[in-house]
Amino acid sequence: MAVTKAELFERIRRDSWREGLSVRALARRYGVHRRLVREALTHAEPTPRKTPGKPHVRADRGNHFAASQEPTLFTTEVRAAFRSLR
């Protein structure tokens, strides 16, 4: 049976108050990180999850390696750069 985070917070707070358990003992009992136990003891409700930001949009052109996008343009630029070394 899965326990919601709000129920877990409630149980942690109850056991801390009734039994006077330490943060470490509560973390071991519930199999969670001590950071989560500390959060449960300081806040009655769990903090909501962050919503993802703006999605990354991939461009059709102009990736980090230009030679794969425009091979003819790349070769003409390389030839022009090395033309003086002939």
Side-chain angles (χ1 to χ4, degrees):
M1 179 173 97
V3 178
T4 65
K5 202 169 184 181
E7 292 171 349
L8 179 64
F9 270 39
E10 183 181 336
R11 290 179 185 181
I12 290 171
R13 292 170 71 86
R14 183 190 63 222
D15 286 350
S16 173
W17 183 74
R18 284 186 183 165
E19 299 177 28
L21 295 174
S22 67
V23 171
R24 187 175 187 178
L26 288 165
R28 283 185 177 171
R29 177 178 281 187
Y30 291 103
V32 295
H33 198 275
R34 287 178 286 184
R35 179 177 40 230
L36 184 73
V37 173
R38 286 189 194 99
E39 184 183 345
L41 295 176
T42 56
H43 300 83
E45 292 290 323
T47 55
R49 292 185 63 135
K50 294 180 181 177
T51 57
K54 194 174 181 182
H56 178 71
V57 179
R58 291 193 60 113
D60 292 337
R61 295 181 56 194
N63 78 14
H64 68 282
F65 191 59
S68 65
Q69 295 291 324
E70 297 288 336
T72 56
L73 179 63
F74 177 73
T75 54
T76 56
E77 287 180 357
V78 169
R79 285 179 180 164
F82 288 103
R83 189 169 288 136
S84 64
L85 298 177
R86 282 185 170 184

